[in-house]
Amino acid sequence: MLNRFIKPFSVIFLVLSLFFNTKGWSQTYSTSTQYPYVLPIWGQKVQDRGMANQLQLPFGFNVNYVNAFVDLEITEFKLLAGNQDLTGIINAETLNFTQVNGTTNGVNFRADAWVLPFMNVYALFSTVKGGTEVSLQPAWKDGTGNIMLQLPEFSSKVDFDALAYGLGTTLVFGWNGYFSSVDMNYSRTDTDLLKEQIGYLTMSARLGHTFGLSKKNKDFFIGPYLGMMFRDFVGADGSGGQINFNEVFPELDATFNQRIEGKIAANQELIDDPGTSIPERLKLQAQNQALHTIQDTVNDSGLFSTQIDYFIRKELIQTITFQFGFNLQFNKHWMLRGEYGVADSQRFLMTGLQYRFGVKKKGL
């Protein structure tokens, strides 16, 4: 679906942007001067048409602050304690995650260049501090689907540091003060919590209009815009890491054993009651046998007291946000940007400063 969305717009931008930029170009031809900078390619053609003053300076550095919140869904969870696979007892279904969300705060550094008059390419690097908040209420069911043991809800937050880096490109088109853009970037995040890096794809489309703020300085303007952003994990095959349950959920060990022993004792009272029917007695005996197996397996594995390996597959509950933002350009060199994205299960805030410059051709 994303390919069907992006390809037609990309073709339109590539063709039309040969003739227009984000503020609108006149069709006055002028061959009296030479375009001074090494980029963009076809810069001289733009100069020949008398429209070079509408181009941004070709190179830029950006420093942005980014804050994000996302709701997540755990679709698969596996545990390995030593050489013992506990997936049959401890998994996404039995752990019963009631809430999983992540927050990140970070500084994003970006270097970019206008390779073509309508095409910008960039590299990004981010330092991130964040946290993952998890709530779960473990429950085990018997063969008939009835809950035979349920623990109280536990919550925990794990903080982490991460580094992210990636590449991206932006295609632009504009006419008579209106502008639109399509942006796509791919990044990878490295954190101590996970053994493997996480791939992340971001795609966005924006539409806006520029308003001049000074009659004397035509480069001083503001461009509010709105748009949509798609973000999701790439190669969602899951990732592995290590965890110590006693550090994350310090009360889980005692509560687990108390609840099991209490449930077994309650079942045994009904089993010993002469008024309990034979089918019900057999059901309770089967439950107690299963509970003993769960308790012995978990305790013997050292699940609560040792560091264990885990595998997790998580997905964003929502992948699309609505974006609102602005570009405030002071002159050809400096620009301020702010953007806010919102959805039911996501929030995104970005603000940053951009500096642009040109590298002149030899001999100029």
Side-chain angles (χ1 to χ4, degrees), residues 297-329:
T297 302
V298 170
N299 288 334
D300 292 344
S301 70
L303 174 66
F304 300 113
S305 58
T306 60
Q307 187 164 276
I308 60 174
D309 295 313
Y310 71 89
F311 172 86
I312 188 171
R313 178 179 286 120
K314 55 189 176 182
E315 298 178 3
L316 296 178
I317 293 179
Q318 278 186 307
T319 57
I320 294 177
T321 56
F322 293 96
Q323 306 294 121
F324 309 88
F326 69 90
N327 294 315
L328 176 60
Q329 180 172 298

Side-chain angles (χ1 to χ4, degrees), residues 62-269:
N62 300 258
V63 179
N64 302 304
Y65 166 75
V66 179
N67 176 278
F69 168 88
V70 293
D71 276 328
L72 300 165
E73 179 183 10
I74 305 298
T75 58
E76 188 175 354
F77 191 87
K78 298 179 180 179
L79 286 179
L80 185 66
N83 295 322
Q84 188 171 7
D85 187 355
L86 301 178
T87 304
I89 297 175
I90 309 293
N91 50 57
E93 182 179 359
T94 59
L95 287 176
N96 188 26
F97 293 97
T98 56
Q99 181 180 3
V100 182
N101 61 61
T103 57
T104 57
N105 292 277
V107 179
N108 175 284
F109 303 93
R110 193 175 83 169
D112 72 273
W114 287 100
V115 177
L116 296 170
F118 53 86
M119 181 180 179
N120 183 278
V121 296
Y122 57 88
L124 58 89
F125 175 79
S126 302
T127 61
V128 178
K129 288 186 176 293
T132 299
E133 189 170 351
V134 178
S135 296
L136 51 84
Q137 189 172 15
W140 286 266
K141 298 178 180 180
D142 60 21
T144 62
N146 296 316
I147 294 178
M148 59 182 180
L149 176 68
Q150 186 167 44
L151 304 185
E153 187 172 27
F154 293 86
S155 297
S156 179
K157 183 176 180 180
V158 178
D159 296 323
F160 63 86
D161 295 325
L163 297 176
Y165 52 91
L167 298 171
T169 184
T170 304
L171 304 175
V172 301
F173 166 70
W175 179 246
N176 283 345
Y178 292 93
F179 63 90
S180 58
S181 68
V182 170
D183 181 272
M184 179 174 66
N185 68 67
Y186 172 78
S187 62
R188 296 188 67 83
T189 301
D190 188 10
T191 173
D192 291 338
L193 290 182
L194 299 174
K195 295 179 180 179
E196 298 86 9
Q197 294 181 339
I198 301 174
Y200 207 64
L201 176 67
T202 302
M203 301 178 65
S204 58
R206 298 173 177 84
L207 177 66
H209 189 277
T210 58
F211 299 91
L213 299 177
S214 172
K215 293 183 178 180
K216 294 182 179 180
N217 180 8
K218 293 183 179 180
D219 294 322
F220 184 31
F221 63 83
I222 188 170
Y225 60 82
L226 55 84
M228 298 179 68
M229 180 182 291
F230 168 88
R231 292 178 291 169
D232 203 0
F233 301 113
V234 177
D237 296 328
S239 53
Q242 292 183 323
I243 191 173
N244 190 315
F245 267 94
N246 266 344
E247 294 179 0
V248 181
F249 302 105
E251 300 178 2
L252 186 57
D253 185 0
T255 303
F256 170 78
N257 284 287
Q258 289 171 5
R259 285 296 179 98
I260 281 193
E261 290 165 3
K263 182 64 175 177
I264 290 175
N267 285 351
Q268 191 61 47
E269 287 183 6

